[in-house]
Amino acid sequence: MSKLSFPRNLNELTYPLSSKSAEVEVEIGGQVALKENLRSVEGRLTLVGLGSLVRSYASGRITSLRIKVGGQVVDEYTVLPLSQDLGMGAETYCAQHYLSLGPMDRYTYGDAQEQLSWIGSDRMTVTAYWWLSDGRVQRTEHSPLAAGDGLVNTADVSPRTMSGEGELVEYTARCGGREVTYHVLPMGCCVGARSVLMRNGFGVLESVTMVQTVRESKSEVTSVRVGGELRNYHTDAGLRTTLTYGPLQAYDYTLVDLLSSKEVYLLPQRTRMIVDRISENVVHDPYSLQWGEVTLRPSGDGIELAPLGRRRVFDDHFDNSFE
């Protein structure tokens, strides 16, 4: 049976070997990544650096690892591509936590998209609390339907999926020993709030709530003088979207995860983005809360065109004289 592992736990694997050498085949994601005849030392064969090899093949996604020695399968792993050291193995972590480096207490808003993923057969229960007009608090419970691929289960825990009377103020998603509580911000605090979807360090898509968004244009022009005439040979007039995350908490590594993510989308349009910059600042109010700022820009996979605009690869100045 395949075992769960992080890449860092695969960097030194040792197997007993009675012969002086044997053919070693390493298969990652169904593809042969290494096939060599290796020698044993004192009856043991040691493979070094497989974790780094797996990460380079995985490209930020969950992948499989199969090791053959002398034509026989000696180990099989399901590898979560996380690079951080959590102080425990993958199987232990996944049995106790959701596939996220975010905090157990999070902030959200009414229109936010929220989802949680986990590995295991546990069923999720969401307990929601509603503030009624007479001042009472009502509690409701429901079990969201999880979508799975045979290994990872994902459930939609967005505020809009909750049903109850009054104003939703808080809800907790429990699944086995896993638990995350969402605090719903009042509408007046969420002007410009957005959600970001990223492929996190565990290789799954995770939603991140940003409490404020500022869309700004940034132009960069590089010029050179040719034949006495100043010309622009490089321009970057792309839009930058700056978002506020927080308040930051201890043991919250969401921004670190976002910075290293190779797949980031700005919702609700699901626009593919890349992280341009991440910074932290402290608001000097009575609580001295610390917030993170994330600046995103389009990935360059495509551009947004006006509905009736011309769709051309080259403009009218393209030189066809080579014909």
Side-chain angles (χ1 to χ4, degrees), residues 93-106:
Y93 183 89
C94 292
Q96 303 172 0
H97 301 83
Y98 291 108
L99 300 180
S100 170
L101 294 178
M104 292 182 63
D105 283 273
R106 308 182 184 187

Side-chain angles (χ1 to χ4, degrees), residues 247-321:
L248 299 178
Q249 306 172 50
Y251 309 109
D252 181 1
Y253 303 102
T254 301
L255 295 186
V256 176
D257 211 2
L258 181 61
L259 182 62
S260 59
S261 178
K262 298 180 180 179
E263 195 174 338
V264 179
Y265 302 95
L266 187 60
L267 302 178
Q269 291 87 356
R270 203 180 172 96
T271 306
R272 185 84 179 249
M273 310 290 281
I274 60 175
V275 179
D276 201 44
R277 179 179 59 87
I278 286 181
S279 61
E280 297 179 3
N281 62 77
V282 177
V283 177
H284 296 286
D285 57 13
Y287 305 100
S288 293
L289 297 176
Q290 190 170 10
W291 301 82
E293 279 195 350
V294 181
T295 300
L296 305 176
R297 61 185 174 92
S299 67
D301 290 347
I303 58 175
E304 186 177 352
L305 299 173
L308 299 179
R310 292 190 304 167
R311 289 153 172 79
R312 295 181 56 115
V313 177
F314 304 108
D315 63 18
D316 294 326
H317 299 88
F318 182 69
D319 185 6
N320 292 294
S321 61

Side-chain angles (χ1 to χ4, degrees), residues 6-9 82-90 93 101 202 253:
F6 296 131
R8 66 171 48 250
N9 302 123
L82 189 74
S83 60
Q84 287 86 355
D85 184 4
L86 301 180
M88 65 182 77
Y93 183 89
L101 294 178
F202 296 94
Y253 303 102

